[in-house]
């Protein structure tokens, strides 16, 4: 392998070698801005990337838009009644909406006699017949599926009876129900399951966050690696290095792609939060917005660290076919982050929520589950930032030592041992 003359990073005005991240403000001048602007412009003019982003955005927005449409298309279940009191109970069931699921599709239809109401059920005109006979509420059902209807009426009947009894006793409903609430407090905020407390909601949120992190890291990471390899293979890197510090080349690529990745992720998260809010699902997941914003913060810190190493993967390769080998460490990290919500739970989830990069998914999961104290995301993010700084410094050294070396694929150990 040969080392091209001038492979050293360009020097600053005082003759000292520049480094990235810069040790002082303005250490790279405006060179990194030019590289970053070029990276952004190339991606924004990539028709395939733009179309895929638009399609994903439309699918995400459309999935939330379909929720009220599907709810409105649910068939109305008619409840046959013969008394105003039974009609009032059916009306209470219709008003008992569940967050995110819309109001129960229940309609009371008054019939003159019990025989007429029973005939309506047998003929399929009504789904069920609600009747009060000798102090006992009874729901007579037909052959149609009435599980959801029965559940709604089962909740409505006690509420109606309590209110009626309270009025007859001359007291308020609040007084009658005083002391009847059951408070559920877990002994341990982290229970069994991948997400601990609130496992189902936290698991779903974790899968979504992990998928976003996985896709963004792969798409933009491979873009960085392929771009660096292409410049190295075409000897364009040698020309650029004569006028632009290699530290600025690396910094521009990292910053440019980080801006794009963050913007894309922000769009997806914003649409998701808006959809959750508009469909009422936010009432089921009150901590989801906070977890989403923390995920964005973790994502930026983690992606910057990975972006520097993706550039190193490209600089170690001598052709595009080598990237699969040189990028294997980053692939392993990305896959580990993606598998977090599927494999880790209980006390293990608490532990890995402090692990840099993995915490990008693990800590938001704990926030959704309600098992993370307010100070924990701050500490975990600080650890991620420190790890990112270390990886950036390591990546800058490997990048300088390998970018202009030709003659075949390099190993990380070879690049690390090379003299700066």
């Amino acid at each position: 392998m040969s080392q091209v003359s001038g492979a050293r990073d360009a020097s600053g005005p005082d003759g000292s070698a520049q480094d990235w991240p810069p040790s002082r403000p303005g250490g790279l001048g405006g060179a990194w801005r030019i590289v970053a602007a070029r990276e952004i412009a190339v991606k924004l003019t990539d028709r395939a990337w733009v179309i895929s982003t638009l399609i994903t955005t439309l699918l995400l927005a459309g999935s939330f838009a379909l929720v009220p449409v599907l709810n409105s298309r649910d068939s109305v279940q008619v409840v046959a009644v013969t008394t105003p009191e039974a009609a009032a109970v059916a009306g209470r069931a219709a008003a008992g909406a569940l967050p995110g699921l819309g109001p129960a599709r229940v309609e009371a239809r008054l019939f003159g006699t019990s025989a007429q109401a029973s005939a309506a059920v047998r003929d399929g005109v009504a789904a069920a017949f609600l009747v009060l006979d000798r102090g006992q509420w009874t729901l007579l059902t037909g052959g149609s599926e009435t599980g959801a209807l029965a559940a709604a009426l089962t909740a409505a009947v006690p509420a109606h009876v309590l209110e009626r009894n309270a009025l007859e006793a001359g007291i308020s409903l609040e007084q009658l129900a005083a002391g009847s609430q059951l408070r559920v407090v877990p002994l341990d905020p982290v229970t069994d399951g991948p997400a601990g407390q609130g496992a189902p909601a936290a698991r779903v949120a974790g899968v979504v966050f992990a998928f976003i992190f996985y896709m963004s890291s792969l798409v933009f990471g491979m873009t960085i690696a392929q771009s660096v390899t292409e410049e190295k293979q075409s000897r364009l890197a040698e020309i650029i290095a004569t006028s632009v510090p290699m530290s600025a080349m690396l910094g521009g690529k990292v910053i440019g792609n980080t801006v794009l990745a963050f913007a894309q992720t922000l769009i997806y998260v914003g649409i998701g939060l808006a959809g959750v809010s508009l469909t009422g699902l936010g009432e089921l997941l009150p901590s989801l917005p906070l977890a989403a914003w923390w995920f964005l913060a973790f994502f930026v810190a983690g992606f910057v660290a990975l972006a520097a190493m993706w550039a190193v993967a490209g600089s170690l390769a001598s052709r595009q076919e080598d990237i699969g080998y040189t990028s294997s460490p980053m692939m392993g990290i990305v896959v580990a982050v993606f598998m977090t919500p599927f494999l880790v739970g209980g006390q293990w989830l608490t532990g890995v929520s402090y692990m840099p990069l993995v915490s990008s998914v693990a800590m938001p999961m704990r926030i959704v589950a309600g098992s993370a104290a307010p100070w924990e995301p701050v500490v975990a993010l600080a650890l991620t930032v420190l790890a990112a700084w270390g990886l950036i410094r390591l990546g800058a050294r490997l990048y300088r030592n390998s970018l202009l070396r030709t003659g075949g694929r390099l190993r990380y150990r070879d690049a690390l041992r090379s003299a700066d």
Side-chain angles (χ1 to χ4, degrees):
M1 292 182 289
S2 62
Q3 176 78 25
V4 178
S5 60
R8 301 277 311 173
D9 201 358
S11 300
D14 58 355
S16 60
Q18 293 183 338
D19 198 4
W20 191 81
S23 57
R24 60 185 185 280
L28 295 181
W32 68 267
R33 296 186 181 90
I34 299 175
V35 178
R38 177 180 177 274
E39 292 292 319
I40 294 174
V42 169
K43 204 65 177 176
L44 292 179
T45 55
D46 184 351
R47 182 176 299 180
W49 179 79
V50 172
I51 292 176
S52 65
T53 301
L54 290 175
I55 291 176
T56 304
T57 302
L58 291 175
L59 289 176
L60 183 60
S63 63
F64 287 107
L66 285 176
V67 172
V69 175
L70 293 176
N71 284 337
S72 65
R73 293 182 60 184
D74 290 342
S75 59
V76 177
Q77 290 188 298
V78 176
V79 178
V81 297
T82 56
T83 63
E85 186 176 8
V89 173
R92 185 183 291 271
L98 296 175
L101 300 180
R105 307 290 293 172
V106 179
E107 177 185 329
R109 185 169 301 177
L110 189 62
F111 290 87
T113 64
S114 297
Q116 293 175 343
S118 299
V121 175
R122 293 190 182 95
D123 296 339
V125 176
F129 173 27
L130 180 64
V131 59
L132 176 61
D133 184 19
R134 299 173 186 175
Q136 174 65 53
W137 286 96
T138 304
L139 185 67
L140 304 174
T141 62
S144 59
E145 178 62 40
T146 56
L149 176 61
L153 290 171
T154 299
V157 167
H160 172 78
V161 173
L162 282 175
E163 185 175 6
R164 185 191 62 188
N165 293 344
L167 291 175
E168 292 177 354
I171 61 175
S172 67
L173 184 60
E174 290 75 14
Q175 291 174 317
L176 184 63
S180 63
Q181 292 81 13
L182 175 65
R183 183 185 179 193
V184 180
V185 179
L187 290 176
D188 189 349
V190 179
T191 57
D192 293 337
Q197 181 186 4
R203 183 186 303 181
V204 172
V207 171
V208 173
F209 291 146
F211 180 76
I212 294 176
F213 188 96
Y214 178 81
M215 292 303 300
S216 296
S217 298
L218 281 187
V219 170
F220 289 96
M222 290 301 297
T223 297
I224 295 173
Q226 291 171 355
S227 173
V228 172
T229 302
E230 182 179 354
E231 292 173 356
K232 178 178 180 179
Q233 191 174 9
S234 64
R235 299 299 181 94
L236 180 61
E238 300 175 10
I239 300 175
I240 298 177
T242 59
S243 56
V244 177
M246 279 191 284
S247 52
M249 294 170 61
L250 175 62
K253 288 183 178 296
V254 170
I255 294 173
N257 283 276
T258 299
V259 169
L260 287 169
F262 175 76
Q264 186 184 64
T265 303
L266 182 62
I267 291 173
Y268 295 158
V269 171
I271 292 176
L273 291 178
V276 166
S277 175
L278 293 176
T279 57
L281 292 173
E283 299 179 28
L284 296 176
L285 300 173
S287 58
L288 181 60
L290 178 63
W293 297 124
W294 273 112
F295 168 72
L296 288 173
F298 280 102
F299 174 82
V300 172
F303 183 84
V304 168
L306 285 178
M309 298 307 296
W310 279 108
V312 172
S315 67
L316 293 175
S318 60
R319 53 181 185 168
Q320 297 291 338
E321 291 79 3
D322 296 335
I323 296 178
Y325 173 82
T326 58
S327 64
S328 56
M330 279 65 70
M331 289 292 298
I333 294 174
V334 172
V335 171
V337 175
F338 178 73
M339 295 303 296
T340 298
F342 300 99
L343 300 179
V344 183
Q347 296 296 337
W348 285 101
L349 181 65
T350 302
V352 300
S353 66
Y354 291 97
M355 185 181 299
L357 298 178
V358 178
S359 60
S360 302
V361 173
M363 187 58 73
M365 286 176 63
R366 293 186 59 210
I367 294 174
V368 172
S371 62
W375 57 267
E376 292 187 83
V378 178
V379 174
L381 181 60
L383 294 175
T384 301
V385 171
L386 288 176
W389 181 261
L391 285 175
I392 289 171
R393 302 291 296 188
L394 175 63
R397 178 179 178 182
L398 294 172
Y399 183 82
R400 289 195 309 269
N401 293 343
S402 60
L403 181 61
L404 301 183
R405 294 184 64 179
T406 59
R409 184 180 65 199
L410 292 174
R411 295 177 298 178
Y412 283 87
R413 182 174 58 185
D414 297 333
L416 190 60
R417 289 179 176 177
S418 299
D420 286 328

